[in-house]
Amino acid sequence: MGAAVRQRWRQVEPDRPGRLSRADDFLEFASGRAGQLFRSACLLTSGDTHLAEDLVQETLGRMYVLWGRVSRIDNPAGYAQTVLVRTFLTHRRRRSATERPLGELPDQAADMMHDPALRVALLDALGQLSPKDRAVVVLRYWEDRSIEETADAMNVSSAAVRTRSVRALAKLRERLGGSLAEYAAH
């Protein structure tokens, strides 16, 4: 985040002697988590980096509004991931969310995986899943969350997460077929 943004945040809440201001504390958190949130958002959106950026911005905006309470939570990073997933699911329920971008993935997402062909194949397969199935796969297998943490983030039962995980993985295997092994061999 640039100096102009920091200055704007400081104007919202001036420094308090002896400790970081709420804005400085939040900026430190946001700077440290923005990259991970963006990578997760890219997976949730099947590589739509523009929507991923929007989701991260909305997530961080929501986090700032509640920062006084959130910063006292044991795991604010986990809470941010939960906010991101719920923001994504809310976005997918809107009618305007049916637009699908076309074209190649930009180089910004290149650090997701080293093999571009594998990345495109996986993102395409993820994009064919329903938003809730995609969220389960990203949370369980990309973010390495437990079933209970995933259920909490998605506001569903643990049984629903287990069922969705099994079905989503079966759909991915069906869509990728033997091509995943062929990509992994490179």
Side-chain angles (χ1 to χ4, degrees), residues 6 26 34 36 59 69 89 92 97 147 152 154-155 158 168 175 177:
R6 276 196 189 88
F26 177 77
Q36 179 64 34
T59 297
R69 289 181 277 169
L89 292 174
R92 295 304 301 167
I147 291 173
D152 186 48
M154 294 183 63
N155 207 18
S158 296
R175 289 190 175 107

PDB file of all heavy atoms in Angstrom, residues 6 26 34 36 59 69 89 92 97 147 152 154-155 158 168 175 177:
ATOM      1  N   ARG A   6      -1.772   5.218   3.146  1.00  0.00           N
ATOM      2  CA  ARG A   6      -1.482   5.260   4.592  1.00  0.00           C
ATOM      3  C   ARG A   6      -1.880   6.595   5.195  1.00  0.00           C
ATOM      4  O   ARG A   6      -2.445   6.656   6.277  1.00  0.00           O
ATOM      5  CB  ARG A   6       0.000   4.999   4.833  1.00  0.00           C
ATOM      6  CG  ARG A   6       0.351   3.564   4.881  1.00  0.00           C
ATOM      7  CD  ARG A   6       1.735   3.350   5.496  1.00  0.00           C
ATOM      8  NE  ARG A   6       2.084   1.975   5.307  1.00  0.00           N
ATOM      9  CZ  ARG A   6       2.700   1.486   4.246  1.00  0.00           C
ATOM     10  NH1 ARG A   6       3.063   2.293   3.274  1.00  0.00           N
ATOM     11  NH2 ARG A   6       2.959   0.212   4.135  1.00  0.00           N
ATOM     12  N   PHE A  26      -4.247  -2.255  11.134  1.00  0.00           N
ATOM     13  CA  PHE A  26      -4.961  -2.881  10.019  1.00  0.00           C
ATOM     14  C   PHE A  26      -4.095  -2.921   8.765  1.00  0.00           C
ATOM     15  O   PHE A  26      -4.074  -3.926   8.059  1.00  0.00           O
ATOM     16  CB  PHE A  26      -6.272  -2.152   9.720  1.00  0.00           C
ATOM     17  CG  PHE A  26      -6.978  -2.747   8.537  1.00  0.00           C
ATOM     18  CD1 PHE A  26      -7.670  -3.935   8.664  1.00  0.00           C
ATOM     19  CD2 PHE A  26      -6.915  -2.142   7.301  1.00  0.00           C
ATOM     20  CE1 PHE A  26      -8.292  -4.515   7.569  1.00  0.00           C
ATOM     21  CE2 PHE A  26      -7.545  -2.699   6.201  1.00  0.00           C
ATOM     22  CZ  PHE A  26      -8.224  -3.889   6.336  1.00  0.00           C
ATOM     23  N   ALA A  34      -2.809  -9.750   2.016  1.00  0.00           N
ATOM     24  CA  ALA A  34      -3.420  -9.457   0.712  1.00  0.00           C
ATOM     25  C   ALA A  34      -3.014 -10.460  -0.358  1.00  0.00           C
ATOM     26  O   ALA A  34      -3.846 -10.891  -1.160  1.00  0.00           O
ATOM     27  CB  ALA A  34      -3.074  -8.033   0.276  1.00  0.00           C
ATOM     28  N   GLN A  36      -2.081 -13.679  -0.070  1.00  0.00           N
ATOM     29  CA  GLN A  36      -2.745 -14.968   0.149  1.00  0.00           C
ATOM     30  C   GLN A  36      -4.231 -14.874  -0.169  1.00  0.00           C
ATOM     31  O   GLN A  36      -4.796 -15.774  -0.788  1.00  0.00           O
ATOM     32  CB  GLN A  36      -2.541 -15.438   1.590  1.00  0.00           C
ATOM     33  CG  GLN A  36      -3.206 -16.753   1.907  1.00  0.00           C
ATOM     34  CD  GLN A  36      -2.641 -17.911   1.116  1.00  0.00           C
ATOM     35  OE1 GLN A  36      -1.464 -17.943   0.816  1.00  0.00           O
ATOM     36  NE2 GLN A  36      -3.482 -18.855   0.763  1.00  0.00           N
ATOM     37  N   THR A  59     -13.396  -7.730   0.895  1.00  0.00           N
ATOM     38  CA  THR A  59     -13.053  -8.447   2.126  1.00  0.00           C
ATOM     39  C   THR A  59     -12.286  -7.544   3.085  1.00  0.00           C
ATOM     40  O   THR A  59     -12.611  -7.459   4.275  1.00  0.00           O
ATOM     41  CB  THR A  59     -12.215  -9.701   1.796  1.00  0.00           C
ATOM     42  OG1 THR A  59     -13.012 -10.582   1.003  1.00  0.00           O
ATOM     43  CG2 THR A  59     -11.754 -10.404   3.059  1.00  0.00           C
ATOM     44  N   ARG A  69     -12.863  -5.339  16.696  1.00  0.00           N
ATOM     45  CA  ARG A  69     -13.263  -6.632  17.252  1.00  0.00           C
ATOM     46  C   ARG A  69     -12.459  -7.773  16.641  1.00  0.00           C
ATOM     47  O   ARG A  69     -12.070  -8.699  17.326  1.00  0.00           O
ATOM     48  CB  ARG A  69     -14.748  -6.883  17.017  1.00  0.00           C
ATOM     49  CG  ARG A  69     -15.623  -5.986  17.881  1.00  0.00           C
ATOM     50  CD  ARG A  69     -17.068  -6.273  17.632  1.00  0.00           C
ATOM     51  NE  ARG A  69     -17.442  -5.507  16.432  1.00  0.00           N
ATOM     52  CZ  ARG A  69     -18.556  -5.654  15.776  1.00  0.00           C
ATOM     53  NH1 ARG A  69     -19.425  -6.540  16.161  1.00  0.00           N
ATOM     54  NH2 ARG A  69     -18.837  -4.925  14.725  1.00  0.00           N
ATOM     55  N   LEU A  89     -19.358 -16.206  -2.339  1.00  0.00           N
ATOM     56  CA  LEU A  89     -20.641 -16.895  -2.480  1.00  0.00           C
ATOM     57  C   LEU A  89     -21.785 -15.894  -2.649  1.00  0.00           C
ATOM     58  O   LEU A  89     -22.708 -16.124  -3.431  1.00  0.00           O
ATOM     59  CB  LEU A  89     -20.882 -17.818  -1.287  1.00  0.00           C
ATOM     60  CG  LEU A  89     -19.935 -19.022  -1.213  1.00  0.00           C
ATOM     61  CD1 LEU A  89     -20.155 -19.783   0.084  1.00  0.00           C
ATOM     62  CD2 LEU A  89     -20.097 -19.932  -2.421  1.00  0.00           C
ATOM     63  N   ARG A  92     -21.703 -14.668  -6.202  1.00  0.00           N
ATOM     64  CA  ARG A  92     -22.180 -15.669  -7.161  1.00  0.00           C
ATOM     65  C   ARG A  92     -23.707 -15.762  -7.157  1.00  0.00           C
ATOM     66  O   ARG A  92     -24.294 -16.183  -8.146  1.00  0.00           O
ATOM     67  CB  ARG A  92     -21.579 -17.039  -6.864  1.00  0.00           C
ATOM     68  CG  ARG A  92     -20.088 -17.122  -7.038  1.00  0.00           C
ATOM     69  CD  ARG A  92     -19.613 -16.720  -8.399  1.00  0.00           C
ATOM     70  NE  ARG A  92     -20.202 -17.532  -9.426  1.00  0.00           N
ATOM     71  CZ  ARG A  92     -20.159 -17.267 -10.718  1.00  0.00           C
ATOM     72  NH1 ARG A  92     -19.534 -16.208 -11.140  1.00  0.00           N
ATOM     73  NH2 ARG A  92     -20.723 -18.054 -11.580  1.00  0.00           N
ATOM     74  N   ALA A  97     -23.600 -11.813 -11.701  1.00  0.00           N
ATOM     75  CA  ALA A  97     -22.403 -12.634 -11.584  1.00  0.00           C
ATOM     76  C   ALA A  97     -22.341 -13.724 -12.655  1.00  0.00           C
ATOM     77  O   ALA A  97     -21.450 -14.548 -12.635  1.00  0.00           O
ATOM     78  CB  ALA A  97     -22.348 -13.276 -10.201  1.00  0.00           C
ATOM     79  N   ILE A 147     -12.479 -29.954   7.959  1.00  0.00           N
ATOM     80  CA  ILE A 147     -13.891 -30.012   7.564  1.00  0.00           C
ATOM     81  C   ILE A 147     -14.696 -29.022   8.398  1.00  0.00           C
ATOM     82  O   ILE A 147     -15.539 -28.292   7.880  1.00  0.00           O
ATOM     83  CB  ILE A 147     -14.438 -31.445   7.715  1.00  0.00           C
ATOM     84  CG1 ILE A 147     -13.795 -32.341   6.655  1.00  0.00           C
ATOM     85  CG2 ILE A 147     -15.955 -31.471   7.620  1.00  0.00           C
ATOM     86  CD1 ILE A 147     -14.100 -33.803   6.787  1.00  0.00           C
ATOM     87  N   ASP A 152     -17.677 -23.980   8.915  1.00  0.00           N
ATOM     88  CA  ASP A 152     -17.895 -22.694   9.571  1.00  0.00           C
ATOM     89  C   ASP A 152     -17.767 -21.532   8.579  1.00  0.00           C
ATOM     90  O   ASP A 152     -18.582 -20.616   8.582  1.00  0.00           O
ATOM     91  CB  ASP A 152     -16.904 -22.525  10.723  1.00  0.00           C
ATOM     92  CG  ASP A 152     -17.174 -21.272  11.524  1.00  0.00           C
ATOM     93  OD1 ASP A 152     -18.346 -21.039  11.885  1.00  0.00           O
ATOM     94  OD2 ASP A 152     -16.208 -20.529  11.786  1.00  0.00           O
ATOM     95  N   MET A 154     -18.274 -21.566   5.415  1.00  0.00           N
ATOM     96  CA  MET A 154     -19.363 -21.575   4.430  1.00  0.00           C
ATOM     97  C   MET A 154     -20.743 -21.522   5.072  1.00  0.00           C
ATOM     98  O   MET A 154     -21.749 -21.470   4.377  1.00  0.00           O
ATOM     99  CB  MET A 154     -19.247 -22.814   3.546  1.00  0.00           C
ATOM    100  CG  MET A 154     -18.008 -22.786   2.672  1.00  0.00           C
ATOM    101  SD  MET A 154     -17.921 -24.199   1.585  1.00  0.00           S
ATOM    102  CE  MET A 154     -19.375 -23.942   0.584  1.00  0.00           C
ATOM    103  N   ASN A 155     -20.773 -21.600   6.391  1.00  0.00           N
ATOM    104  CA  ASN A 155     -22.030 -21.552   7.123  1.00  0.00           C
ATOM    105  C   ASN A 155     -22.935 -22.736   6.761  1.00  0.00           C
ATOM    106  O   ASN A 155     -24.123 -22.577   6.527  1.00  0.00           O
ATOM    107  CB  ASN A 155     -22.732 -20.216   6.885  1.00  0.00           C
ATOM    108  CG  ASN A 155     -23.625 -19.836   8.040  1.00  0.00           C
ATOM    109  OD1 ASN A 155     -23.483 -20.368   9.135  1.00  0.00           O
ATOM    110  ND2 ASN A 155     -24.538 -18.921   7.792  1.00  0.00           N
ATOM    111  N   SER A 158     -20.948 -29.894   8.779  1.00  0.00           N
ATOM    112  CA  SER A 158     -19.763 -30.689   8.428  1.00  0.00           C
ATOM    113  C   SER A 158     -20.134 -31.783   7.429  1.00  0.00           C
ATOM    114  O   SER A 158     -19.352 -32.099   6.531  1.00  0.00           O
ATOM    115  CB  SER A 158     -19.158 -31.328   9.677  1.00  0.00           C
ATOM    116  OG  SER A 158     -18.689 -30.339  10.548  1.00  0.00           O
ATOM    117  N   ALA A 168     -17.409 -32.935  -5.473  1.00  0.00           N
ATOM    118  CA  ALA A 168     -16.594 -31.982  -6.238  1.00  0.00           C
ATOM    119  C   ALA A 168     -15.329 -32.650  -6.759  1.00  0.00           C
ATOM    120  O   ALA A 168     -14.938 -32.446  -7.917  1.00  0.00           O
ATOM    121  CB  ALA A 168     -16.238 -30.773  -5.376  1.00  0.00           C
ATOM    122  N   ARG A 175     -13.751 -34.480 -15.155  1.00  0.00           N
ATOM    123  CA  ARG A 175     -13.422 -33.436 -16.140  1.00  0.00           C
ATOM    124  C   ARG A 175     -11.962 -33.486 -16.565  1.00  0.00           C
ATOM    125  O   ARG A 175     -11.631 -33.207 -17.703  1.00  0.00           O
ATOM    126  CB  ARG A 175     -13.773 -32.078 -15.585  1.00  0.00           C
ATOM    127  CG  ARG A 175     -15.277 -31.899 -15.517  1.00  0.00           C
ATOM    128  CD  ARG A 175     -15.682 -30.497 -15.200  1.00  0.00           C
ATOM    129  NE  ARG A 175     -17.124 -30.376 -15.280  1.00  0.00           N
ATOM    130  CZ  ARG A 175     -17.918 -30.264 -14.221  1.00  0.00           C
ATOM    131  NH1 ARG A 175     -17.409 -30.229 -13.023  1.00  0.00           N
ATOM    132  NH2 ARG A 175     -19.210 -30.176 -14.386  1.00  0.00           N
ATOM    133  N   GLY A 177      -9.965 -36.229 -16.155  1.00  0.00           N
ATOM    134  CA  GLY A 177      -9.654 -37.556 -16.677  1.00  0.00           C
ATOM    135  C   GLY A 177      -8.202 -37.915 -16.446  1.00  0.00           C
ATOM    136  O   GLY A 177      -7.615 -37.627 -15.416  1.00  0.00           O
TER     137      GLY A 177
END
